Amino acid sequence: MALIEPFATQLDLQTGKLSPVTRIVQRRLSDMRGMYADTQAENQIIAQEGDRLIYEVYTATELPEEEGQVLHCTTIIYPGKVGDELHMTKGHYHAKRDRGEVYVGLSGEGCVLLQLEDGTVRSVPMGPGTAAYVPPYWAHRTVNTGSAPFSFFSAWPGDAGHDYATIERVGFAKIMVWRDGKAVLVDNPRYK
Ligand code: S6P
Ligand code: ZN
């Protein structure tokens, strides 16, 4: 296993940004084609306002993706909706399904949606200071349920890996939508 020098990273608790930063991944609406339930709304946003920035992932230091390392980063999800569905991450299973993760809320309001392969879904609300546990076997996707950016810190085992393809294919059985002035979890009409 690689021997890493100890180091610290500065976390901005207001914005969720890390410094120094070596990699910022930006996910725009076009990177998530087909993930929001309302495809018409998705196409309309891209045609009328352009390719909206949905979320960013800040990584301070590239660590080897191997057993024993603890990978970590922050995510900032900007507020907004596609149709009535709230801005969210793509979501994934870990390639090694028996690897868990911890999320710590920094700013804004949101939730983590979790799903087992049999379609069981759970929703865990998050805000500043919430430590949410993502147990092994659960796919996870985070959602901004507020009107400000929602940011959180995450840490997971170095050998977990990421399986995006399964969620791209089947989706989540529930989606978080804005109805009557609040965020509610409803059945996903496009869940396969
Ligand atoms: C990694 C962890 C998070 C997400 C990030 C973006 O295991 O769960 O750091 O990568 O929140 O979400 P996604 O679904 O695009 O990776
Ligand atoms: Zn993960």
Side-chain angles (χ1 to χ4, degrees):
M1 186 172 47
L3 185 63
I4 308 289
E5 277 294 316
F7 65 90
T9 297
Q10 202 57 42
L11 257 169
D12 184 323
L13 302 177
Q14 305 305 316
T15 65
K17 294 184 178 174
L18 287 181
S19 63
V21 65
T22 58
R23 182 162 47 110
I24 302 171
V25 174
Q26 295 194 319
R27 295 287 183 217
R28 296 183 177 274
L29 190 51
S30 68
D31 298 317
M32 304 180 73
R33 283 219 181 260
M35 292 193 147
Y36 289 93
D38 188 342
T39 307
Q40 211 180 327
E42 176 186 291
N43 292 336
Q44 204 171 2
I45 290 166
I46 292 175
Q48 289 176 3
E49 87 177 52
D51 198 3
R52 188 190 280 181
L53 179 62
I54 307 282
Y55 65 101
E56 294 182 297
V57 178
Y58 278 66
T59 304
T61 307
E62 301 296 342
L63 292 169
E65 295 195 12
E66 59 184 22
E67 188 179 358
Q69 305 291 349
V70 181
L71 305 185
H72 51 282
C73 69
T74 58
T75 303
I76 304 162
I77 309 176
Y78 294 98
K81 303 189 288 290
V82 177
D84 62 0
E85 191 173 0
L86 291 157
H87 279 185
M88 62 185 183
T89 58
K90 289 180 166 195
H92 57 267
Y93 286 96
H94 288 155
K96 286 193 178 172
R97 295 288 196 269
D98 59 356
R99 299 296 193 264
E101 183 156 1
V102 174
Y103 282 173
V104 179
L106 304 175
S107 62
E109 299 298 325
C111 74
V112 51
L113 292 183
L114 303 110
Q115 172 162 292
L116 291 174
E117 307 225 32
D118 68 1
T120 303
V121 174
R122 297 283 182 264
S123 164
V124 177
M126 287 181 67
T130 306
Y133 183 49
V134 177
Y137 303 108
W138 293 84
H140 37 290
R141 158 179 284 168
T142 39
V143 183
N144 186 334
T145 56
S147 51
F150 166 51
S151 70
F152 61 94
F153 175 85
S154 48
W156 67 98
D159 63 343
H162 291 89
D163 167 13
Y164 288 98
T166 304
I167 291 301
E168 277 167 21
R169 194 173 65 249
V170 303
F172 270 69
K174 306 258 183 198
I175 57 176
M176 193 62 89
V177 298
W178 190 255
R179 298 253 166 95
D180 304 322
K182 57 179 192 296
V184 286
L185 199 59
V186 299
D187 286 339
N188 181 0
R190 293 178 55 181
Y191 177 65
K192 294 180 196 126

